[in-house]
Amino acid sequence: MSRSVTASTRPAPDHVLDHGPAAQEVPAALDLSAEPRARRSRRRRLAQWALIAAAVVLLVAFRDRLPDIGAMGDAAAGARPEWLAVVVVAVAISMGSFARLQRRLLRIGGVRISLRRAFAVTYAGNALSTTLPAGPAVSVVYTFRQFRHSGATAQLATAVILVGGVITTSAYSLIALAALLAAPQARGPAIAALAVPMIAVPALSLVLALRGPRARAAALAGRLGRAVLAHRRVAPFARSLRDGCAALRPSRRDWAALVALAVVNWVFDILALFAAAQAVGIDIAPHGVALAYFAAQAAGSVIPVLPGGLGAIESSMAASLVALGAALAPAGAAVGLYRLMSYVVVVAVGWLAWAVLHEGARLPVRARRWLAGAGRGVLEGLATVAMMTMLTPYTTARGVHPAAPRRG
């Protein structure tokens, strides 16, 4: 699954986003619609069609080397149920930790929302991000407006999205680095890459201990910093982050909880893949599974053939597991089981959550009521699981009592 936060590059479709008062308040940091969208969209479509054509050619050329569908089905059918249960729980905790992270940021800013609504916004935003064209852009604007409906100011909603993105991205990078250092085959290159900053930082510290070089370095850094922050593409984000620091003042306990939730988000998603591999009899060390996970995430970002990284993530993940010693059919079965839970089921819950949040005004009334009822049941169950499994408590913002959240 993908929960990275990116800035919007074009307006959201009318049938997805509402047009209430909050709809006109998307900050520049989250809405870059002034850029030449048509040109970028044309290039994106051409690149996607080229990648799809190349994928079809490769499938035809290497059809004899592809895993047998029957063998994959047999491997999946023989999966161990206890490990499949771990996959389900791990995916739920991973998504729940991200919902809790955003909920905690809102509470730090003085806005209290229920855990069920936090789950609904998280799952619905993920469904939009991974199924629609320009999904990440649509998801960011949608999440912003849902936070506004919950009582957050435009400044706070922007800060929650941007600061949450920085925290989760930082946690992602640290876990990826830990996986590289844990893997014997990748430890050497990783240490070599880290050796440069490890040597440069102490040397630079010695130089900056002298007053003259320190003053010149400070002046140079100030000029470079002002030039970067004044750039037209950086300035909106810089202003939003600066405003976010004013809107959000986490305590040390808050920071510890936010970092822990971000780490749990990624670790349990990797655990779901590890459990899927164990379920079909693939015995690979956890750090190897983590490397396969990060390789697939990178492939899904670099080669966005379809929304949600479909195709690129599955092929890269299966190839990585095979390279680590797994047989082809079990590797395909493990990836299929993992993606079934982490993508298909999560997206289905996300669209149910979208219906719960009353974003389905154009659906028939009976269908909307059925979806809303089913979605509420699922979200209440997920919230109950999260409350029983997550150990990080929430504390309300001290001395702040905002108005009750308004439904979207």
Side-chain angles (χ1 to χ4, degrees):
M1 76 189 73
S2 175
R3 291 176 291 281
S4 59
V5 177
T6 55
S8 175
T9 54
R10 72 181 196 179
D14 290 343
H15 69 282
V16 172
L17 301 178
D18 56 71
H19 297 276
Q24 308 301 324
E25 301 180 22
V26 180
L30 302 182
D31 188 3
L32 305 179
S33 57
E35 296 186 12
R37 300 189 306 273
R39 188 184 308 166
R40 289 199 313 276
S41 179
R42 192 181 308 113
R43 287 200 301 266
R44 187 185 300 113
R45 286 197 300 270
L46 289 174
Q48 287 180 338
W49 280 112
L51 289 170
I52 292 173
V56 172
V57 171
L58 290 174
L59 286 174
V60 174
F62 296 98
R63 60 185 181 277
D64 295 335
R65 302 184 184 182
L66 295 176
D68 180 72
I69 300 298
M72 287 175 53
D74 292 339
R80 296 164 61 184
E82 63 273 20
W83 282 109
L84 292 180
V86 174
V87 176
V88 174
V89 174
V91 169
I93 293 177
S94 175
M95 290 293 296
S97 66
F98 187 69
R100 283 177 172 269
L101 186 148
Q102 292 188 317
R103 182 174 181 247
R104 181 141 197 159
L105 285 169
L106 286 170
R107 285 198 172 192
I108 292 170
V111 175
R112 299 178 63 183
I113 66 173
S114 67
L115 188 59
R116 191 183 76 178
R117 182 171 178 83
F119 268 67
V121 173
T122 298
Y123 274 88
N126 181 77
L128 295 174
S129 176
T130 55
T131 57
L132 295 180
V138 176
S139 175
V140 167
V141 179
Y142 172 86
T143 302
F144 170 84
R145 290 171 179 169
Q146 288 300 323
F147 288 165
R148 292 286 288 117
H149 286 314
S150 298
T153 64
Q155 180 189 41
L156 177 60
T158 305
V160 169
I161 292 173
L162 292 179
V163 174
V166 170
I167 294 172
T168 53
T169 302
S170 300
Y172 178 92
S173 302
L174 289 175
I175 296 170
L177 178 61
L180 288 172
L181 292 175
Q185 63 271 32
R187 188 177 301 144
I191 293 176
L194 290 173
V196 175
M198 291 175 65
I199 295 173
V201 169
L204 185 61
S205 300
L206 291 175
V207 173
L208 294 179
L210 303 175
R211 181 178 301 177
R214 184 169 64 248
R216 288 192 292 270
L220 177 61
R223 287 195 297 271
L224 290 176
R226 286 190 294 272
V228 171
L229 294 177
H231 192 277
R232 64 184 181 87
R233 294 193 176 185
V234 177
F237 293 96
R239 285 195 299 271
S240 297
L241 282 174
R242 184 171 59 249
D243 294 341
C245 292
L248 296 172
R249 296 184 180 275
S251 64
R252 292 183 179 179
R253 183 178 179 180
D254 290 327
W255 278 118
L258 293 171
V259 172
L261 288 169
V263 171
V264 168
N265 173 35
W266 296 114
V267 168
F268 273 81
D269 202 17
I270 298 170
L271 175 61
L273 176 59
F274 176 78
Q278 293 292 320
V280 296
I282 297 176
D283 188 15
I284 296 179
H287 58 74
V289 174
L291 290 178
Y293 175 89
F294 288 116
Q297 293 289 329
S301 300
V302 175
I303 314 175
V305 179
L306 295 172
L310 284 173
I313 287 181
E314 290 82 2
S315 57
S316 175
M317 195 173 283
S320 298
L321 292 177
V322 170
L324 291 169
L328 191 54
V335 172
L337 291 171
Y338 165 74
R339 289 290 278 176
L340 174 65
M341 282 307 308
S342 67
Y343 181 78
V344 176
V345 173
V346 169
V347 165
V349 173
W351 282 111
L352 286 174
W354 181 79
V356 169
L357 294 171
H358 296 285
E359 297 296 341
R362 297 192 180 186
L363 290 174
V365 174
R366 182 175 298 177
R368 190 163 68 248
R369 288 176 179 172
W370 184 89
L371 287 172
R376 286 193 185 95
V378 171
L379 292 169
E380 286 175 355
L382 290 170
T384 302
V385 171
M387 292 182 70
M388 292 189 298
T389 55
M390 298 295 292
L391 302 179
T392 305
Y394 278 98
T395 56
T396 59
R398 292 178 290 278
V400 179
H401 303 280
R406 180 166 60 89
R407 296 184 64 85

